[in-house]
Amino acid sequence: MRRKFSEPPPPQTFAALLALAILVLGAACRSDDSSAQIQTPSPSPHIAETKVHQPADLVDAALALVGFLQGSVGYDQIALADQVALHLAEENLNPGGQNPRILSADALRDPRNWQIFSPITEITYEFAPPANLEVVHAVVGRHFECLETTLAEHNLDALGSLPHVGTMLYPENGNTCLQSWNLTFVFDPVLQPPTLVAVVYAQWEW
């Protein structure tokens, strides 16, 4: 993968963004490795560095997971816990349902299994990003839901206390975060290499 250091697509003004979000409310592979571009900015100051993991190691682990989900990285190149929790960032999309959905590492060998069905929206949320989202913005200790935020702000305090990397994927020529795909990868605080224990999927239109 080629690394591209650039700023993420700027958010629109809040009013315009909200208006567009209202319009799309309710709407609900493989990547060519030569075209994928990665942005890895400096670690966020919003989370204390762990004694076990260096920020760069966490970012590398998150990027490998993105690559796996897009089909450019092999399963043997990522580290998963025996069981991994798949979360929708908005808990009210699945009250009483499987949120989180707990899957074994073996079940997650197939990126198509990284998904949650919401009985509220009657949508199956696929965690694997489309292959045409070629730029990745990755920050340690943050969460993206179009705008940059935190897991704690979405009532995911327990996950927010663990080492995590927020990723925002978007097209190379993207001009708004509404075109983005947002995944936050949460890692075991002790295991090396950084080992995935949970992943949070989020989209602005929620």
Side-chain angles (χ1 to χ4, degrees):
M1 288 186 175
R2 291 190 291 115
R3 294 176 179 258
K4 178 180 179 181
F5 296 87
S6 62
E7 292 299 318
Q12 300 170 355
T13 64
F14 182 79
L17 192 59
L18 182 59
L20 185 54
I22 292 173
L23 290 176
V24 299
L25 184 63
C29 258
R30 296 185 67 86
S31 173
D32 181 359
D33 191 50
S34 64
S35 65
Q37 302 174 28
I38 302 298
Q39 181 193 6
T40 54
S42 301
S44 167
H46 299 281
I47 186 173
E49 293 184 15
T50 68
K51 296 181 180 180
V52 175
H53 305 102
Q54 295 298 317
D57 295 334
L58 293 172
V59 168
D60 286 345
L63 296 180
L65 287 159
V66 169
F68 168 74
L69 290 173
Q70 289 188 309
S72 63
V73 171
Y75 179 79
D76 59 348
Q77 295 176 265
I78 61 174
L80 305 181
D82 291 340
Q83 293 187 318
V84 176
L86 306 184
H87 291 258
L88 297 178
E90 300 302 320
E91 297 288 337
N92 61 359
L93 285 179
N94 222 351
Q98 289 187 319
N99 191 25
R101 182 186 181 201
I102 310 297
L103 291 176
S104 69
D106 189 60
L108 294 174
R109 286 178 174 272
D110 187 344
R112 292 172 298 182
N113 289 339
W114 297 57
Q115 59 175 241
I116 293 181
F117 174 75
S118 167
I120 302 301
T121 61
E122 298 186 341
I123 293 172
T124 296
Y125 293 94
E126 306 278 352
F127 284 42
N132 68 329
L133 302 183
E134 300 172 337
V135 180
V136 183
H137 181 62
V139 183
V140 174
R142 302 300 279 171
H143 170 68
F144 293 100
E145 201 158 314
C146 191
L147 305 177
E148 184 173 328
T149 179
T150 66
L151 289 173
E153 290 179 56
H154 297 274
N155 299 315
L156 295 169
D157 305 64
L159 296 180
S161 68
L162 298 175
H164 59 280
V165 178
T167 63
M168 176 191 289
L169 292 82
Y170 50 92
E172 183 175 5
N173 297 319
N175 54 20
T176 169
C177 62
L178 291 174
Q179 298 172 279
S180 70
W181 193 278
N182 307 282
L183 293 168
T184 297
F185 299 100
V186 183
F187 300 96
D188 186 283
V190 175
L191 294 180
Q192 280 280 33
T195 300
L196 187 74
V197 296
V199 57
V200 182
Y201 173 88
Q203 290 295 6
W204 171 257
E205 62 264 25
W206 295 349

